Amino acid sequence: MNIAIVTGASSGMGAECVKQITKVYDRLDEIWIIARRMERLCGLSLYSDKVKIRPIPIDITNEGHMEAFNECMKDAKPKIRMLVNAAGMGIIGRFDEEDLLDEIGMVDLNCRALTAFTKMCLPFMQKNSRIINFASSAAFLPQPDFAVYAASKAYVLSFSRALNKELKNRGIYVTAVCPGPVATDFFKIAEKHHKMPGYKKLALVRPEAVVEKAFCDSLKKRDVSVYSFTMNSLRFFTKVLPHSLFLYFWKEGKQ
Ligand SMILES: NC(=O)c1ccc[n+]([C@@H]2O[C@H](COP(=O)([O-])OP(=O)(O)OC[C@H]3O[C@@H](n4cnc5c(N)ncnc54)[C@H](OP(=O)(O)O)[C@@H]3O)[C@@H](O)[C@H]2O)c1
């Protein structure tokens, strides 16, 4: 049975991946969609008449849920053609002011769960399978007031690129997607205490475009996918200029 798995499928870019995935793989038997909110997943499962969509309501930071999911995979023995790790969260605010559980929760979901999920799926992947990991343009440089989130996404970017190299001889390709701000429910949680700076809102893009580019880059076996001129420019300048310069101006800008 050929399947795709999408985590974070109940909203935003994960949900968009579910909608677009059959354009990339037309021979899927099932798409397994994962998130905590069952009602949202069920809404999405009515979306496609081409392929069966199986909603799996689990919390991927919960060890018991992950073990049960692993058992389910061992029973079904699927061939995973594509894994999309889109589940993630961010909270804007100073590290010394934000709640510890929120900060640790970000690391647990963005890093720990993504790593565990990838490890769990790999035995069921083979030549020409693909992994798409949602990192962020926040991975390109340290971000005061978004410190843990940016660091967690730097982990995803580094992990994905290294894994892509490791898995090349198995014919499995890994792409880290690094969008700037995208118009999704992400900000309902991210802006719980503090608003995103106005200049970032100028770079806001649509999830459809980010996902289309991500699938396109995955097919081209690219290890990094960056949508929009603004974010590609940010990536370029954060490579050629010292990060201390950005941090200096950030500090100056706040005073
Ligand atoms: N939006 C942006 O500006 C932006 C920019 C760069 C990168 N990203 C990254 O892109 C990815 C997708 O973000 P998005 O914008 O689509 O956000 P979103 O609309 O808030 O979606 C996040 C998804 O993660 C799921 N999720 C959260 N905690 C979970 C858990 N413990 N177990 C299982 N699923 C969980 C949520 O579903 P449930 O709540 O139903 O569990 C939801 O489906 C994230 O990794 C995010 O960090 C977003």
Side-chain angles (χ1 to χ4, degrees), residues 8-14 34-37 58-61 86-89 109-110 134-137 149 153 179-182 184-187:
S10 65
S11 104
M13 288 185 277
I34 292 170
R36 293 163 302 179
R37 288 170 293 175
I58 55 170
D59 178 343
I60 62 169
T61 62
M89 64 173 283
L109 179 62
N110 299 353
F134 275 84
S136 166
S137 61
Y149 180 73
K153 292 302 182 178
V182 186
T184 68
D185 286 354
F186 177 84
F187 292 101

